[in-house]
Each structure stands twice: as C-alpha cells, then as structure tokens.
C-alpha cells in the first residue's frame, strides 16, 4: 500500500541530494580569495554612498524600468504570433493595435528625452 508513494520519496531524495550538491560543490571549487573588485559594493553604475540624503543619478533606474516595460510588452507578442492562424483577422487587428500602442509609448519616451543619456 505504501509502495504507491515510492516515486514521491525517490523524487524527494533526488531533490535533496541535488540541493546538497549545489550547496557543497561551489565551496570546494570556488577560489578562496576572490578579487577585491569582485567583492566590492556596486550600486547601479555609481559608487556606493553612506549618506541616504545624497543626490544620485536616476538615469540607470529609468533605463532599467523602460527596458522592463518594453521587454514585457514584446513578450506578449509571441503567443499571438504563434497562434495567428487560430485567432484570425480579429487577432491580427488586436496585435496591430497593441504594436501601435507600443510604438506610441516608445515615441513618447523618445520625445520627453527619457532615453537621452546626457
């Protein structure tokens, strides 16, 4: 009766062994003294600061946010592209409207200078 649970127990054992291996192997093969530059603090392109009231440049954050927004929007194009024969003309029109909205957002970001570095 308990033999029915054997696949679950085996999967749990395999997961346990693999997770222990993933934890232990890097301690064996990792360098003992990493480079000082590698372990230094890095804050989005500028030196780390101690004072929280210090002014900092938000260009890095703005570019990252715009990348995430446009990347997610483009990811929505793939499902429609692979099922275009199923959704037909209506799906194609919806995709064209979506792409036009994407282009309008990109043009707006260019117009307000959100992508200008200097």
């Amino acid at each position: 009766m308990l033999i029915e649970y054997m696949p679950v127990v085996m999967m749990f054992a395999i997961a346990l062994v693999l997770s222990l291996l993933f934890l232990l192997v890097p301690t064996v093969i990792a360098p003992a003294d990493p480079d000082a530059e590698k372990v230094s603090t890095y804050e989005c392109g500028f030196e780390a600061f101690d004072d929280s009231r210090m002014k900092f440049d938000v260009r890095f954050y703005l570019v990252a946010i715009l990348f995430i927004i446009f990347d997610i929007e483009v990811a929505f194009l793939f499902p429609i592209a692979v099922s275009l024969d199923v959704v037909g003309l209506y799906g194609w029109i919806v995709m064209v409207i979506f792409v036009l909205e994407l282009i309008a957002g990109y043009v707006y970001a260019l117009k307000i200078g959100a992508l200008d570095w200097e």
Side-chain angles (χ1 to χ4, degrees):
M1 184 162 164
L2 292 177
I3 197 72
E4 296 173 359
Y5 292 107
M6 187 55 75
V8 175
V9 172
M10 289 175 57
M11 287 298 292
F12 181 73
I14 291 171
L16 183 66
V17 168
L18 280 177
S19 62
L20 288 175
L21 278 175
F22 289 149
L23 288 173
L24 294 177
V25 169
T27 60
V28 173
I29 64 172
D33 53 345
D35 187 39
E37 187 68 27
K38 185 174 182 178
V39 294
S40 67
T41 306
Y42 180 72
E43 296 268 345
C44 297
F46 50 85
E47 293 296 322
F49 49 85
D50 295 326
D51 188 13
S52 63
R53 295 178 299 255
M54 185 176 130
K55 290 185 179 182
F56 60 93
D57 198 1
V58 297
R59 292 181 293 189
F60 299 102
Y61 301 113
L62 185 61
V63 169
I65 289 171
L66 287 173
F67 170 76
I68 289 171
I69 289 171
F70 287 115
D71 186 48
I72 290 172
E73 287 179 350
V74 169
F76 284 128
L77 294 176
F78 182 74
I80 292 179
V82 297
S83 65
L84 197 56
D85 56 339
V86 176
V87 294
L89 181 63
Y90 176 75
W92 186 80
I93 291 172
V94 169
M95 186 175 70
V96 167
I97 292 171
F98 180 74
V99 169
L100 289 175
E101 289 176 355
L102 183 65
I103 291 171
Y106 180 70
V107 169
Y108 176 74
L110 283 176
K111 182 180 176 187
I112 65 170
L115 301 176
D116 293 337
W117 197 253
E118 296 296 329

